Amino acid sequence: LKPNALGAEEQEIKDLTLQLLVKFQSKDAELGPQLATLCKNIAEGESISIDGIPDEDLKSALESLFDACGLEKSEMENEDSDDEEEGDNDGDDRDAPLIGYGLPE
């Protein structure tokens, strides 16, 4: 959140978070704690990727929330890149860069 955040921006973030939890928590009861962990990791300076989330609606809702929070979207290194050196790439898209969210620099 930007230091000069207005009350309207804070309300938007709160509303987006509540909408996300209400809509998706019935599908995954652990969503609240998982979202809290993501936020903690971001606050500690880590970038997080949501590329592995299979539910496109949830992924889109998270993107909207992270954008509203002012997080930066950036390319991340794929942690599995060491495995690819063994030549076991069977045509999937593991070579595609991961997109992550983190605190602005």
Side-chain angles (χ1 to χ4, degrees):
L1 197 55
K2 299 172 186 165
N4 61 348
L6 302 173
E9 289 174 333
E10 292 171 347
Q11 187 62 46
E12 178 187 10
I13 292 168
K14 180 180 175 182
D15 290 346
L16 286 170
T17 303
L18 280 172
Q19 290 169 10
L20 188 144
L21 290 172
V22 167
K23 183 173 181 178
F24 296 102
Q25 202 158 23
S26 64
K27 296 179 184 180
D28 184 355
E30 293 296 312
L31 182 62
Q34 290 170 351
L35 184 57
T37 299
L38 284 178
C39 292
K40 180 181 174 220
N41 290 345
I42 291 168
E44 291 174 350
E46 290 183 40
S47 290
I48 56 104
S49 173
I50 58 174
D51 284 349
I53 296 174
D55 186 321
E56 290 298 322
D57 289 337
L58 176 56
K59 190 185 299 189
S60 177
L62 287 168
E63 287 175 344
S64 295
L65 176 61
F66 294 159
D67 287 340
C69 290
L71 297 178
E72 280 189 355
K73 192 181 220 184
S74 62
E75 207 173 282
M76 298 173 56
E77 276 191 36
N78 189 342
E79 292 178 2
D80 294 333
S81 61
D82 293 341
D83 296 338
E84 293 175 19
E85 292 174 7
E86 297 173 10
D88 60 14
N89 190 344
D90 55 2
D92 60 19
D93 61 352
R94 284 184 282 175
D95 289 336
L98 293 176
I99 301 299
Y101 287 86
L103 295 174
E105 303 237 353

